[in-house]
Amino acid sequence: MKQHPFGALALAAAATLAAVSIPAVAQQAAAPKSVAVTAIVEHPALDAIRDGVKASLQAAGYEDGKTLKWQYQSAQGNTGTAAQIARKFVGDQPDAIVAIATPSAQAVVAATKAVPVIFSAVTDPVAAKLVKNWEPSKTNVTGVSDLLALDKQMELVRQVVPNAKRVGVVYNPGEANSAVVVKELKALLPKMGMTLVEAAAPRSVDVGSAARSLIGKADVIYTSTDNNVVSAYESLVKVGQEAKLPLVAADADSVKRGAIASFGINYRDLGEQTGRMVVRVLKGEKPGDIQPEISTKLELTVNPGAAEKQGVKLSDAFIKSAAHIVK
């Protein structure tokens, strides 16, 4: 039977439509994943986490502008701004929100019970009330902690300043991770024959005056990853050099900026670890099924020049034992 020309046209049109719709479906299936990243403030350690997260996403095939929609905002040290960013990001409904540092993580977790949240650089997520314990949360939250064993930190303090009896700490009492460190040091130091001397710095502009208040009262200053302190580290270094008051830090970036030594986390590695967790979420795992993690890779970083300026003589053996020596 002879086919009607209109029938042939209809078949051709249907075939064309099918050919067009197949790539359209494929294109829809490969729609870019969206990741929103926020940090409480910009400083080298937190910036390294952000860059590490992005590197892990790229390594997994999520490329910014192509297969990934990436946005980043810093709260510039302001908790009110952190809350605004959190609400804005939740409204955008991304596939995941990465919250760097405790105040930003608290703001995001308070803003959503639905959007996946992956925290990073939160010293104690349980004390910060982000998760109930270190088991999978069964909520929309998981992440990576930068918790450090404080006994190891104080052993480092003794290596740098062997006769130290009074350990000074400059910190923001309003930052949950810093309050946890101070509480633990209060319990730990007497067992090691040392005492804690506190100096509060509720804002980054208070860091220099808080450090000066420790002159004559402390033998050494230990700095945790308090965001106010790290943001204004140069003002702390100035006091350390002028008063010959040695600085021992929890993070390597602070050693590059003038602390004598740190036995701590490589924050770029921490960011990459966080990024790998984000990839798991983007591929379909629920955050509540992923156990929060702690970075276990610790490195000794030493700055001999800073030691000299702060009146400390380091042994050659100690310097040579470092993974990184700041020139």
Side-chain angles (χ1 to χ4, degrees), residues 55-141:
S56 281
L57 288 170
Q58 193 162 356
Y62 297 102
E63 192 174 347
D64 187 16
K66 294 180 181 177
T67 50
L68 174 70
K69 182 186 174 187
W70 167 279
Q71 57 176 322
Y72 167 78
Q73 284 192 32
S74 162
Q76 304 297 331
N78 188 307
T79 52
T81 306
Q84 288 175 354
I85 293 169
R87 288 192 294 271
K88 192 262 180 193
F89 279 177
V90 170
D92 291 344
Q93 291 291 298
D95 294 296
I97 298 175
V98 179
I100 302 173
T102 303
S104 283
Q106 288 174 318
V108 175
V109 169
T112 181
K113 297 289 182 282
V115 179
V117 179
I118 298 92
F119 61 78
S120 189
V122 172
T123 302
D124 190 337
V126 179
K129 298 183 179 176
L130 303 178
V131 291
K132 287 184 178 177
N133 52 45
W134 289 90
E135 299 302 315
S137 69
K138 302 303 175 189
T139 68
N140 61 318
V141 182

Side-chain angles (χ1 to χ4, degrees), residues 146-157 166-171 181-182 185 189 196-197 214 218-226 229 233 236 245-251 259 261-264:
D146 59 353
L147 184 68
L148 292 170
L150 285 173
D151 55 345
K152 301 285 185 193
Q153 298 296 299
M154 293 307 106
E155 283 170 18
L156 174 64
V157 165
R166 303 169 299 173
V167 179
V169 173
V170 178
Y171 75 109
V181 169
V182 168
L185 283 174
L189 286 173
L196 183 69
V197 187
L214 293 172
D219 305 313
V220 60
I221 295 178
Y222 171 72
T223 58
S224 68
T225 52
D226 183 289
V229 173
Y233 211 82
L236 204 65
L245 187 54
L247 304 177
V248 175
D251 68 294
S262 73
F263 183 59

Side-chain angles (χ1 to χ4, degrees), residues 190-202:
K191 296 173 188 173
M192 300 179 73
M194 295 189 281
T195 56
L196 183 69
V197 187
E198 300 173 46

